[in-house]
Amino acid sequence: MTSSHTDCHFCLQSLRGRKYALRGENAYCVPCYDSLYANPCEGCKQPIECSSKDLAYKGRHWHEGCFRCAKCSRSLVEKPFAAKDEVLLCTECYSDDYSSKCFHCQKTIMPGSRKMEFKGSSWHESCFVCQSCQQPLGTKPLITKDNENYCVPCFEKQFAHHCYACKKVITSGGVTYDDQPWHKECFVCAVCKTQLSSQRFISQDEYPYCVDCFSKYYAKKCAACKKPITAVGGAKYISFEERQWHGECFNCARCLASLVDQEFLTQQDDILCHKCGSA
């Protein structure tokens, strides 16, 4: 610029007919101004003369022609860019090197776009949907199966077991009996409703019974001791002509010798060993 200023404030040479630069109220010839106040360019390391455009970012300066992506060298003037370890990159290069990839579509999640994170992976917001109904999951409760995410209603509809007794979903735990799932609290004796998940039980007509109720209502009575034969734990019992005996009760009526796996005879309601029966 030219003006009525007469001398350079630094070198004191006349400014008449010459370009100069102002700093505060003082005028400087261009060489003095550049040597005193020009910022060094981060790109070429040369001073950015007062006749050149000075582009600044976080206290650093570039010539307009040096303000480029450090990877692909495309100009960043008036374009979005990102910084990584003080290196400037265009958004494309930054995305290729540093942005997350969507777990679903495997495409880059561009800087500035919203992403969802779950179990260490990232999704585009539009990709983070229920595998079944395709509705956005956002921050809703979800369940993962085979690397696919489901909203709770869809998962329960497709995969969850339903209790054989109450027909409601079994969300955790449960008991399997006769190839059917049950809630632990629903797996009870069909008569007294005692929970059976941690005790012995006996089945009858597809229903479970505690030992006491089964013995009371269903077990056959030993012809000798008249007590129920429950066969719990694999106990051995003997059946003959519609009568049953505990294994330990199947004895000769006279000598009390065990008749288990032995030949025996009958005399009215008694059973006898071969010796007693032949006497």
Side-chain angles (χ1 to χ4, degrees):
M1 101 180 23
T2 60
S3 177
S4 59
H5 289 83
T6 57
D7 299 323
C8 172
H9 184 71
F10 185 74
C11 69
L12 303 180
Q13 292 185 19
S14 174
L15 296 177
R16 294 183 182 278
R18 298 172 63 189
K19 292 182 178 180
Y20 69 93
L22 289 174
R23 186 175 179 85
E25 296 181 355
N26 300 318
Y28 298 82
C29 65
V30 171
C32 287
Y33 184 90
D34 288 342
S35 65
L36 291 171
Y37 302 115
N39 295 305
C41 175
E42 292 286 332
C44 67
K45 308 305 179 184
Q46 298 300 313
I48 304 173
E49 301 88 349
C50 63
S51 59
S52 301
K53 191 172 183 179
D54 186 332
L55 300 180
Y57 174 71
K58 290 189 175 181
R60 296 186 294 159
H61 301 264
W62 288 262
H63 289 105
E64 186 174 12
C66 296
F67 196 60
R68 297 178 177 276
C69 172
K71 183 176 181 180
C72 69
S73 298
R74 284 183 289 185
S75 174
L76 299 178
V77 177
E78 297 183 357
K79 293 182 180 179
F81 63 89
K84 180 68 175 178
D85 299 328
E86 298 188 354
V87 174
L88 302 186
L89 300 168
C90 64
T91 53
E92 290 81 2
C93 289
Y94 182 88
S95 298
D96 289 343
D97 290 348
Y98 302 109
S99 290
S100 303
K101 297 291 191 298
C102 177
F103 184 84
H104 178 74
C105 69
Q106 296 302 308
K107 294 181 180 179
T108 299
I109 301 175
M110 298 298 290
S113 61
R114 188 176 182 186
K115 70 177 179 180
M116 309 301 296
E117 294 185 347
F118 177 65
K119 290 187 175 180
S121 298
S122 301
W123 282 262
H124 291 109
E125 186 177 21
S126 58
C127 292
F128 195 59
V129 299
C130 171
Q131 177 67 16
S132 179
C133 68
Q134 299 300 307
Q135 293 299 307
L137 291 171
T139 57
K140 298 177 183 178
L142 61 92
I143 301 174
T144 300
K145 179 178 175 62
D146 300 330
N147 289 327
E148 298 290 355
N149 299 321
Y150 297 84
C151 64
V152 174
C154 285
F155 182 86
E156 291 181 349
K157 182 178 180 181
Q158 294 188 45
F159 303 110
H161 294 296
H162 290 75
C163 177
Y164 182 77
C166 70
K167 311 306 179 185
K168 295 180 180 179
V169 171
I170 300 174
T171 56
S172 62
V175 177
T176 299
Y177 164 68
D178 198 22
D179 294 328
Q180 299 291 346
W182 304 60
H183 287 115
K184 184 178 180 180
E185 58 271 20
C186 292
F187 189 62
V188 297
C189 172
V191 176
C192 68
K193 307 305 179 184
T194 300
Q195 286 195 15
L196 300 176
S197 58
S198 60
Q199 62 176 288
R200 296 184 301 175
F201 64 90
I202 303 171
S203 64
Q204 176 76 16
D205 299 328
E206 298 184 358
Y207 289 96
Y209 295 84
C210 67
V211 174
D212 290 342
C213 287
F214 182 84
S215 299
K216 181 177 181 180
Y217 295 103
Y218 293 101
K220 298 181 183 300
K221 300 297 190 294
C222 175
C225 70
K226 309 305 179 183
K227 294 181 180 179
I229 301 174
T230 61
V232 173
K236 189 173 183 179
Y237 72 95
I238 293 90
S239 178
F240 175 70
E241 291 184 349
E242 299 183 357
R243 290 187 294 168
Q244 288 79 32
W245 292 260
H246 293 108
E248 62 271 20
C249 295
F250 193 58
N251 303 321
C252 174
R254 292 182 182 176
C255 70
L256 302 181
S258 175
L259 298 178
V260 177
D261 296 327
Q262 304 294 321
E263 293 183 353
F264 62 89
L265 302 172
T266 60
Q267 190 175 80
Q268 297 180 350
D269 291 336
D270 293 332
I271 52 171
L272 303 170
C273 64
H274 194 272
K275 180 179 179 180
C276 292
S278 301

